[in-house]
Structures are given as C-alpha cells and as structure tokens.
Amino acid sequence: VVCKDESKFCKDMMKVKGLCCALTVIALASGELIRDSSLELLEVAWHQEASHIYIGSPSILRRPDGALLASADRFGSGFTGQRNVSVYLSQDEGSNWEFLSWVTNQYWSNLFQLEPNSNTIYLLGTSHDSASPIKISRSLDGGATWPETSILFNGTNGSTGYETGPTPAMIANGRVFRAMERFRPPYQWGVDYEAVLIHASVSSELLDPSSWTISQPLPFNSKWYPSSWQLTTPGFLEGNAVLGPSGEILNVLRFNDIPLPGNKAIILEYNMTENMLHFRSIVDLPGGHTKFVIHRDIKTNLYFTLSNPNTQTQYHDQRNVLALCVSQDLITWVMVKVLLEDDTGLQSADSIKYTGFHYVDWQFDKDDIIYLVRTAYRGANSYHNSNRLTFKKILNYESEIPNVLDTLEISPGGLVNLSVSQFQYSSYIDNTTYKVQVSARALLPGSNVFINGVEASNTSMTIPANTSNTCAHVTVVNPTNSSQTTHYTMCFQKLPTTAKVIVEGEGFTPNLFGNNKLAYRNRDYTWQDIPAQFAEGFMFTEIDGGGSGVSISAKATTAGEVYCAAGDTDLPTLVEDGWRNLNITMYYTDLGHTHMTFLSKNVDVGQQVTVPQAGWQGAILIY
C-alpha cells in the first residue's frame, strides 16, 4: 500500500468492517493540484503504476448539504481482491477529498438520487467486473454507509449476465431509466453485446426486483451500416438513457467502428408498449468510439457531452483530448471547446499511447459543470490503465458556448448551428427565398448586423436563391468597439429535384401526405412531425398496419430523388439496397409514438425502384 498520508489512511481503512489495509489499493490524495501540470486537475485518488492496479468507473454528484460525492472502482491484473466501489467526499468544492466508504460487490456503477434534496443515494451497476447480475445498492446517510443492496436481474435465457459503464440513470415521466448491455456467447468484446434498458417507477421500492422492467435484448445488426465501411469488430456498448427532443426514450451508445475514425454513435429508440429497443440511426458524435455521458440542459435546451474526439484518425482509440460537445437534437453535434489536452511534451504517438482523460462522469451544477475523470497521466503505463482519479469544473458553462447559441434561422428550414466563425452547412430548404435571422441571444445589445453587406433591420433579411446555392455572409459588429467583428458564412444547397414517378403494385392506396393525415388504412393513427420539406405537395402509399401482400414499385419518368419512409425492421434492407438514410424522422400516433425514418435514392429516367416490406410498420413511398 502506498499512501500520501499512510498512517491516517490505513487507520481509516481498518475501521471499515470486513476490510483490511491490504485491500486499500487506491491511495487517497490530499486533493491538491497535480504538480508539474498546467491542466489544473484536482487529484481525488492515485495509485502506484507498477502494481498493475488501475482506477476506473468515475461517478459524481452533489449532496443536499453541498458536499461532493465521488465514486470509482479498480481493475487490472494486480487487483485480485473483492470487487468494490470506493466512495470519496469533498466538503470544500473538490480542493480536498477523503475516503468515505466501500460498497462491496458493486462494480461499473453510477451514483444517482431520485430527489436532489435527499440523502438517499443509489449506486446502480453490476456485481462484478465480468458478465454479472445487475445490482443496486442504497445509502440513507449521504453515502457514509451502504447497508441495503439487491440483485435486480440475473442472466437471461441462460446467459451469464450483463456489463456496462457508469452511464447515467435518467429520470423522466415518473420513472428512472438505465441503459446496460447483456453479454452473450461467445463473449467477444465489442461484438457480442445486446442493448437493454431497465426502468422503474420513482415511487416504487427500487431495491425490489419486481419494481423493475427490462427490455428485450437487442443485438447489434451489421445491416445498420453500409457494407463499404468494412468494420472489423462492429458493435455497441455503454449506452446512455436520454430523453429525446420529442419526449421519446432513447439509448445513445458508443459505436465500435474500427477502422473508421472513432467519431460516431448509435441511437436506439425504446417502445414501452412493445418493451423493445429499435434501431434509429448512426450519427456523427466527436468521441463516439469511447464511453461518454449525455445530459440535457433545461436552461439552453441543448444536449451536452464531455467526450474524446478522434482528432488524429490514424489512432482509432485516441483519448488524450477531452472536449465539450453540444447538440440541439442528438443528431448534429458541435465540438465547442477542448477542456483537457496532454501537456507532457510527449511526441504525438507516445501521448496517445500513455495519456487518457476518459470515462468522464459529470453533472450540471447551477451555472457550472462538475466532472470526474478517469485519468492516465504523468506515469501511467498506458492511456487505458488510469493511475489517477481527477476532478475539475467548467465555470459558467453557458459562456463557453456562444457560437452554438448564435443561430441563423432559415424559414422554413428551422435552426442551423454555427460552431466556428467560418462554417458551411447544407440543408434542404425552400428553393425560392431564404429568410436569414440572427438570434437575438447571440448579440450584445446594440450590435450592428450586416447580411451580404447590407445592414439588416431587426437582424433579419430575406435573400433570393440563385441557380445552385445561396450563401448568407453575416457580419456582427461589437457595439462598444467597431473594430471587433465576427463573420459567419452560411451556404445552402438547393433542394434536389423530386423525380416524377409511375407507382405500381398492390396492397396500398395513393393518398395525400401530411401532418394529421391517416397513416394506415386499418388504424386511426395519424402522421405527426413531418419534416418541413415533406409537409406539403407530396403523396404517399397508404398501407395496412401489420398487413401482408403489399408490393410497391416506382418507375421514374424524370430524373431526380425518390423518397420513402420505413420502420426499423425495413431500414437495414433499404440501406443495403442503396437507399440513403436522411436521419430525419416522423411518427404516428400509437401509444409509443413510433417513428419512421426518411430515406432517398437518386434515379434516372426509366429507372425502377422497389420499397420492400418486412415488419408491422412497413415502408411507404413518398412522391
């Protein structure tokens, strides 16, 4: 055992019933800033690297009394003892930390409260560091003791159990949701995980297994991505339960997409009526190759994550950069600011090999963000094998995202984010005119706004479209210093020409497409949230829900784009057949507000396309 205050530390450990100093493998730090470092990281815990015992699974929250609570576990070939979570306490905003308690037979776990003013705190994860039962523990005294624990779920259909990371317990609609993964034979990491979502009513007894529901396991499907990607070990893991923009329950997962740059994530949607997860989309998310945590901010209505962007794409598992990223819709993510970057002076390859700021857990904390980092830094034997647990804050986090809150509002195309001063974006919008509106919250009082060199009244201007694309050049002049200006360039591609088609087949009725129109011939469900570009002037092939004997084909009489919308079951087949996933959705008004995803295909005159049918939702042609 190596302790920075060995005598006091070991005495404290000896007070913990059933444990001895030999099990105390994380040395408690004083909370001081790491020396010989410019990163201003406060050290919660450290362990000697030569022991081959490493620190993992950070989680953090603030107690009702204002104290900070942090947790972690240990891993590595040198750690052969009982699998436990260590809990630490700081009563001075992270400047000093003390060991508080052990939680035995608990692993890969996150701290959470049902109420922020309650001293009742939970840890939810597994019971071991391999495929294990899902386990929950509870403290009634702010994390000092953990006398109550329960196994919630063992293996399913004979499997050995579940794995996870310390991802969030999300509270929404009176329930607490947590994403995990079932590990199935033959137990290949990154490949043989099946996504599950567990949830329970916040008013129920959370230590009672009967309070919880677990979704049917969803295995990864290689048809979700183009075969041209040629992924070596495709899979997903360490999912986040997230409330979507329209109130849907989503699971956003880390995507193991080697050999691509590691900046993609997978979104699944949960249908509570079916108790099933369904594939929704693959999105670009900086750092989606490693574990991340997503929370939605009620003040800005933006989604935030702290992740490890893959900035050097020849190194897929790069973790030596930590960045703040935000999104309005979980689909388009913007990297706002680099928070941590290796300052050791190591050459690039060595920095990536030996430095990691990863597996970050974090919380909104009034105007700030508090975050806890699994840290491999200055002495670690690899980026993965973290020798430190560190803490830091983002002060006044809203001030860090001015460019994201700067928006150009395009009618009728919605909001478009700006992430840097020169930024290009392509969007399907109206072909005749664009209304450019600079958001008032992006401006200092009295700012002068010029659009295409003309001063804009009320910070907006309508500009005509040209032949191929239209660019809005926006200049914002600081009202107190006219020499300080900010420039934005926003370019828009014209909406592709929609092909005229002759529709053939059986089992459908041509009908007008639009919001509030009936979605199926044999149901009262209606379409909702149709994207603006499809809201008017289109027809669709109305089919029976759950019906059979449907065949739909279309022959192009003019060149252009043809469109369809499909449920999760049909989506992989359509993508494999060359349809392009537009990553936009609508839903119909069943109890689960089940979504349909839009796809497109470019066709020449005389070309024929088919719309395959598989699941209950089916697929429709939009023309």
Side-chain angles (χ1 to χ4, degrees):
V1 179
V2 179
C3 303
K4 292 190 176 181
D5 182 6
E6 184 169 335
S7 176
K8 179 180 183 300
F9 182 64
C10 290
K11 287 179 180 178
D12 287 344
M13 293 302 96
M14 291 296 290
K15 295 177 183 178
V16 182
K17 184 178 180 181
L19 299 172
C20 67
C21 200
L23 289 180
T24 310
V25 295
I26 293 183
L28 189 67
S30 64
E32 63 193 29
L33 290 170
I34 296 177
R35 298 176 184 179
D36 191 27
S37 171
S38 64
L39 301 183
E40 299 183 339
L41 288 166
L42 288 161
E43 192 166 81
V44 180
W46 166 86
H47 199 275
Q48 188 179 36
E49 299 82 8
S51 66
H52 300 287
I53 300 171
Y54 314 113
I55 305 173
S57 304
S59 186
I60 192 166
L61 60 75
R62 187 178 289 278
R63 296 194 322 190
D65 63 359
L68 294 170
L69 209 63
S71 66
D73 55 33
R74 295 162 307 288
F75 66 97
S77 60
F79 185 63
T80 58
Q82 192 176 33
R83 270 34 185 172
N84 307 309
V85 169
S86 310
V87 181
Y88 301 93
L89 178 71
S90 175
Q91 302 191 67
D92 56 6
E93 295 300 311
S95 294
N96 292 278
W97 293 86
E98 60 179 309
F99 172 82
L100 186 63
S101 57
W102 290 97
V103 188
T104 58
N105 297 311
Q106 190 78 41
Y107 209 75
W108 288 326
S109 299
N110 67 294
L111 295 161
F112 74 95
Q113 304 154 288
L114 295 179
E115 297 290 342
N117 59 352
S118 172
N119 278 318
T120 299
I121 297 171
Y122 295 87
L123 271 166
L124 179 55
T126 62
S127 63
H128 206 264
D129 63 349
S130 58
S132 307
I134 297 174
K135 189 170 185 282
I136 190 170
S137 295
R138 178 166 60 196
S139 171
L140 302 176
D141 53 11
T145 61
W146 298 82
E148 300 177 304
T149 190
S150 178
I151 297 293
L152 298 181
F153 297 99
N154 285 295
T156 305
N157 297 329
S159 80
T160 55
Y162 300 86
E163 293 192 356
T164 183
T167 56
M170 188 266 292
I171 298 174
N173 305 324
R175 302 187 73 80
V176 56
F177 295 85
R178 174 69 147 85
M180 294 195 178
E181 291 78 46
R182 174 177 175 253
F183 205 16
R184 64 178 181 182
Y187 308 112
Q188 182 181 358
W189 184 93
V191 174
D192 293 323
Y193 288 121
E194 298 176 325
V196 298
L197 197 69
I198 66 172
H199 57 93
S201 170
V202 296
S203 61
S204 67
E205 170 52 74
L206 295 190
L207 269 71
D208 183 353
S210 67
S211 299
W212 291 84
T213 297
I214 188 167
S215 68
Q216 298 181 43
L218 178 68
F220 183 87
N221 189 334
S222 60
K223 291 184 178 181
W224 294 340
Y225 65 88
S227 57
S228 59
W229 287 3
Q230 297 183 341
L231 304 187
T232 56
T233 53
F236 51 24
L237 64 158
E238 296 173 334
N240 287 250
V242 183
L243 191 67
S246 301
E248 65 272 42
I249 304 299
L250 303 177
N251 183 3
V252 186
L253 298 102
R254 166 184 175 184
F255 183 19
N256 194 41
D257 60 352
I258 298 170
L260 297 182
N263 294 317
K264 295 183 184 296
I266 290 179
I267 300 180
L268 309 177
E269 183 170 348
Y270 178 58
N271 186 310
M272 190 171 291
T273 302
E274 299 175 346
N275 193 31
M276 292 179 64
L277 289 160
H278 298 277
F279 174 76
R280 184 163 178 173
S281 62
I282 295 174
V283 299
D284 292 325
L285 190 160
H289 65 290
T290 190
K291 183 257 182 185
F292 51 85
V293 164
I294 296 174
H295 294 298
R296 192 177 195 179
D297 177 30
I298 61 173
K299 294 194 292 182
T300 63
N301 208 30
L302 295 172
Y303 295 94
F304 284 63
T305 191
L306 277 62
S307 60
N308 300 120
N310 192 187
T311 60
Q312 300 186 53
T313 55
Q314 67 271 38
Y315 303 104
H316 178 85
D317 205 21
Q318 176 189 358
R319 304 186 189 182
N320 65 342
V321 176
L322 180 69
L324 172 66
C325 302
V326 300
S327 174
Q328 286 184 319
D329 56 9
L330 294 171
I331 296 173
T332 302
W333 286 89
V334 175
M335 191 171 79
V336 175
K337 182 181 180 180
V338 172
L339 301 174
L340 298 173
E341 192 167 13
D342 190 7
D343 65 349
T344 59
L346 292 171
Q347 294 294 318
S348 178
D350 287 335
S351 173
I352 290 171
K353 183 176 181 180
Y354 293 112
T355 303
F357 309 109
H358 51 141
Y359 273 68
V360 176
D361 190 44
W362 63 276
Q363 301 286 342
F364 291 113
D365 190 48
K366 296 183 180 177
D367 293 331
D368 304 330
I369 286 174
I370 53 175
Y371 62 102
L372 195 66
V373 187
R374 172 179 151 185
T375 305
Y377 180 59
R378 296 189 179 270
N381 59 30
S382 83
Y383 75 91
H384 181 271
N385 296 338
S386 308
N387 57 338
R388 306 174 192 269
L389 183 67
T390 61
F391 169 80
K392 197 173 182 181
K393 291 184 180 182
I394 304 173
L395 300 177
N396 190 18
Y397 64 86
E398 279 193 85
S399 69
E400 300 289 357
I401 53 172
N403 287 332
V404 177
L405 297 180
D406 294 354
T407 59
L408 293 182
E409 185 175 346
I410 310 301
S411 299
L415 293 175
V416 180
N417 287 334
L418 298 175
S419 62
V420 291
S421 60
Q422 295 295 321
F423 182 87
Q424 289 192 329
Y425 179 87
S426 298
S427 176
Y428 298 149
I429 55 179
D430 180 81
N431 281 338
T432 306
T433 57
Y434 307 140
K435 181 181 179 183
V436 179
Q437 173 78 49
V438 180
S439 173
R441 73 179 301 174
L443 305 174
L444 293 172
S447 294
N448 296 315
V449 177
F450 295 83
I451 300 175
N452 289 351
V454 179
E455 186 168 4
S457 60
N458 299 319
T459 70
S460 69
M461 182 178 293
T462 299
I463 57 178
N466 63 24
T467 303
S468 59
N469 66 72
T470 292
C471 291
H473 304 284
V474 180
T475 301
V476 180
V477 181
N478 189 318
T480 61
N481 185 347
S482 60
S483 65
Q484 293 183 354
T485 60
T486 304
H487 301 276
Y488 303 103
T489 299
M490 188 69 68
C491 294
F492 308 94
Q493 294 178 349
K494 294 188 68 175
L495 183 68
T497 301
T498 301
K500 295 181 180 179
V501 297
I502 299 173
V503 182
E504 300 175 334
E506 60 183 355
F508 66 87
T509 303
N511 215 332
L512 189 64
F513 187 56
N515 286 310
N516 301 312
K517 299 294 185 182
L518 284 176
Y520 294 98
R521 298 189 301 187
N522 59 343
R523 295 289 189 276
D524 292 331
Y525 308 150
T526 60
W527 298 122
Q528 299 294 328
D529 278 0
I530 294 175
Q533 60 263 40
F534 297 107
E536 296 180 0
F538 283 88
M539 301 287 290
F540 81 106
T541 52
E542 186 179 12
I543 62 177
D544 290 339
S548 58
V550 176
S551 65
I552 302 172
S553 65
K555 184 176 182 179
T557 59
T558 63
E561 295 286 314
V562 292
Y563 301 98
C564 71
D568 291 337
T569 305
D570 298 276
L571 196 59
T573 303
L574 285 159
V575 171
E576 189 72 22
D577 193 41
W579 290 81
R580 181 168 61 93
N581 188 335
L582 298 178
N583 287 316
I584 53 178
T585 63
M586 62 181 176
Y587 71 89
Y588 54 84
T589 56
D590 64 343
L591 289 176
H593 282 190
T594 303
H595 75 269
M596 301 273 279
T597 299
F598 286 81
L599 303 96
S600 71
K601 180 181 281 192
N602 186 265
V603 294
D604 295 324
V605 175
Q607 185 175 345
Q608 187 158 336
V609 296
T610 60
V611 183
Q613 308 292 316
W616 191 98
Q617 296 171 262
I620 60 171
L621 183 73
I622 301 168
Y623 60 100

